[in-house]
């Protein structure tokens, strides 16, 4: 809440001048100065009454042109004033913006009540932030008195990580945009190439796998693997020890990692993959199956992530069923940690590191990862990881 001050600098100066005139009138025996002092006092009192006596109420509403504001993206805010009040002599409005959102959210109060004013905002830092309330700064015609009032509720704006365009994944890794290795997620429609499981009550008799039944001696049915075998897996390493806490509360390396996570996941969806996005503890951040709601859900989840806890072994994150592309985005990693990374047979293991220590990239390459340092240029880091895979058609490369 702004600091409450009844008088402006001019009003305080008028009171001080009035006091000086009173003193001078007594010292100089000049009644005219006393009259001038009384006039100044009356003007100040009148100004305070004009500004503070009228009771003002009503509402201030806001509309933001986009529900999700990307870092670096500009959006429009429409503010509508519906205030019940006497005519305001002169007013300045200011909408309170969080530090994570920039914009010129101030101006002169409109003379016509019920009108709307627009201003632009730009996302600076991801997160969920409150815009508002609106502060109305009223000043009397003489500029002696002022009044600060807040109106309206806050409006939440969600700033999501920036998504940058990336180069195509190698054509050798799955033909036709991922279809070469997505059979397990698209079966169940007449294919016999399914792993059988034991029959349970409620299974359709049409799904009985007679060959497996004869082989095992128990009634077996065809098993779809859609839930356990995503086409592509993107892992954001949130392990606290891999990230540094900055004095300002912002770790620029982690912000780059989050942006890379969003960019890679959405890029793989565009290439035809079904994508699961998880963190290093195995918590699901998003499942992308080509729907717009999936995209928004992932971006909102990534707007809120922070480094925390410890991570798990990569292979355990996908229950031993190798995905196609496997992208791990991590922070500080040394040679020993990199040498312990196992990709479980993923067709395209990709490692992006914001802070690789000496030997980390070479150690990751020896265990089958294609790696690249990750900084502000996310698209460049992605391309740096692509050539080795494109040349070999697999993940077991030296980078």
């Amino acid at each position: 809440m702004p600091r409450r001050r009844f008088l402006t600098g001019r009003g305080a100066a008028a009171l001080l001048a009035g006091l000086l005139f009173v003193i001078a009138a007594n010292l100089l025996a000049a009644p005219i100065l006393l009259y001038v002092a009384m006039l100044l006092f009356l003007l100040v009192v009148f100004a305070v009454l004009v500004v503070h006596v009228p009771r003002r109420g009503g509402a201030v509403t806001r509309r933001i042109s986009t529900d999700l504001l990307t870092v670096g993206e500009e959006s429009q805010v429409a503010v509508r004033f519906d205030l019940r009040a006497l005519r305001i002599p002169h007013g300045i409005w200011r909408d309170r913006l969080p530090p994570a959102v920039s914009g010129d959210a101030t101006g002169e109060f409109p003379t016509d009540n019920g009108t709307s004013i627009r201003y632009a905002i730009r996302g600076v830092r991801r997160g969920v932030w409150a815009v508002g309330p609106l502060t109305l700064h009223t000043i009397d015609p003489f500029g002696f008195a002022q009044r600060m009032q807040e109106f309206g509720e806050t409006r939440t704006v969600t700033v999501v990580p920036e998504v940058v365009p990336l180069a195509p994944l190698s054509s050798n890794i799955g033909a036709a945009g991922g279809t070469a290795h997505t059979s397990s997620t698209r079966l169940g429609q007449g294919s016999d190439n399914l792993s059988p499981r034991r029959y349970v009550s409620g299974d359709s008799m049409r799904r009985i796998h007679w060959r497996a039944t004869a082989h095992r001696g128990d009634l077996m049915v065809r098993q779809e693997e859609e839930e356990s075998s995503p086409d592509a897996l993107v892992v954001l390493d949130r392990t606290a020890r891999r990230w540094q806490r900055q004095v300002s509360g912002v770790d620029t390396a982690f912000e780059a990692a989050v942006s890379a996570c969003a960019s890679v996941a959405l890029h793989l969806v565009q290439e035809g993959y079904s994508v699961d996005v998880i963190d290093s503890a195995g918590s699901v951040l998003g499942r992308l199956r080509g729907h717009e709601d999936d995209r928004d859900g992932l971006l909102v989840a990534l707007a809120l992530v922070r480094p925390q806890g410890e991570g798990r072994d990569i292979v355990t994150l996908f229950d031993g069923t190798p995905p196609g592309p496997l992208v791990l985005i991590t922070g500080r990693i040394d040679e020993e940690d990199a040498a312990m990374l196992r990709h479980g047979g993923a067709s395209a293991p990709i490692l992006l590191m914001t802070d690789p220590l000496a030997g980390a990239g070479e150690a990751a390459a020896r265990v089958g990862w294609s790696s690249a340092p990750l900084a502000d240029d996310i698209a460049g880091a992605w391309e740096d990881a692509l050539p080795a895979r494109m040349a070999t058609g697999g993940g077991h490369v030296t980078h």
Side-chain angles (χ1 to χ4, degrees), residues 282-346:
S283 300
V284 176
L285 299 175
R287 299 186 188 274
L288 305 180
R289 302 297 184 262
H291 305 293
E292 188 67 20
D293 290 344
D294 296 343
R295 175 187 182 275
D296 292 347
L298 171 65
L299 292 178
V300 170
L302 291 178
L304 300 172
V305 295
R306 296 287 185 270
Q308 64 179 23
E310 289 293 327
R312 288 164 46 189
D313 182 75
I314 297 298
V315 176
T316 65
L317 298 179
F318 47 86
D319 298 325
T321 304
L326 168 62
V327 182
L328 171 61
I329 304 167
T330 188
R332 174 172 291 239
I333 183 171
D334 57 24
E335 183 176 1
E336 181 180 356
D337 287 338
M340 295 176 63
L341 292 177
R342 297 292 183 267
H343 54 71

Side-chain angles (χ1 to χ4, degrees), residues 368-381:
W369 293 85
S370 177
S371 64
L374 174 65
D376 294 335
D377 185 5
I378 295 171

Side-chain angles (χ1 to χ4, degrees), residues 131-364:
V131 176
L134 180 136
T135 300
L136 178 59
H137 182 196
T138 307
I139 303 176
D140 74 283
F142 302 107
F144 288 164
Q146 62 182 355
R147 183 180 184 181
M148 306 285 280
Q149 286 180 281
E150 289 186 349
F151 294 93
E153 302 294 330
T154 60
R155 173 69 186 270
T156 297
V157 58
T158 302
V159 182
V160 300
E162 182 181 9
V163 177
V164 300
L166 302 177
L169 198 62
S170 169
S171 59
N172 294 326
I173 305 175
T179 57
H181 52 77
T182 59
S183 59
S184 65
T185 67
R186 301 202 176 119
L187 293 173
Q189 301 175 4
S191 173
D192 288 329
N193 187 25
L194 294 171
S195 60
R197 63 167 173 80
R198 192 179 301 276
Y199 173 86
V200 296
S201 178
D203 285 336
S204 171
M205 296 299 292
R206 289 179 297 180
R207 294 177 56 197
I208 293 179
H209 196 302
W210 295 110
R211 182 176 298 178
T213 297
H215 178 72
R216 300 192 183 185
D218 292 318
L219 199 59
M220 308 294 290
V221 296
R222 293 178 176 86
Q223 167 69 54
E224 287 101 352
E225 298 179 357
E226 181 173 2
E227 291 302 321
S228 61
S229 181
D231 290 343
L233 185 66
V234 179
V235 181
L236 175 63
D237 190 350
R238 298 172 62 189
T239 306
R241 61 187 174 85
R242 302 208 185 276
W243 308 100
Q244 296 182 356
R245 296 172 181 259
Q246 303 296 324
V247 176
S248 61
V250 179
D251 186 339
T252 55
F254 187 73
E255 297 304 309
V258 173
S259 181
C261 179
S263 302
V264 170
L266 296 178
H267 174 70
L268 292 176
V269 168
Q270 292 176 352
E271 291 205 349
Y273 295 94
S274 295
V275 183
D276 281 3
V277 184
I278 61 177
D279 65 12
S280 49
S283 300
V284 176
L285 299 175
R287 299 186 188 274
L288 305 180
R289 302 297 184 262
H291 305 293
E292 188 67 20
D293 290 344
D294 296 343
R295 175 187 182 275
D296 292 347
L298 171 65
L299 292 178
V300 170
L302 291 178
L304 300 172
V305 295
R306 296 287 185 270
Q308 64 179 23
E310 289 293 327
R312 288 164 46 189
D313 182 75
I314 297 298
V315 176
T316 65
L317 298 179
F318 47 86
D319 298 325
T321 304
L326 168 62
V327 182
L328 171 61
I329 304 167
T330 188
R332 174 172 291 239
I333 183 171
D334 57 24
E335 183 176 1
E336 181 180 356
D337 287 338
M340 295 176 63
L341 292 177
R342 297 292 183 267
H343 54 71
S347 66
I350 304 165
L351 177 63
L352 298 176
M353 310 165 287
T354 64
D355 188 14
L357 301 182
E362 292 77 5

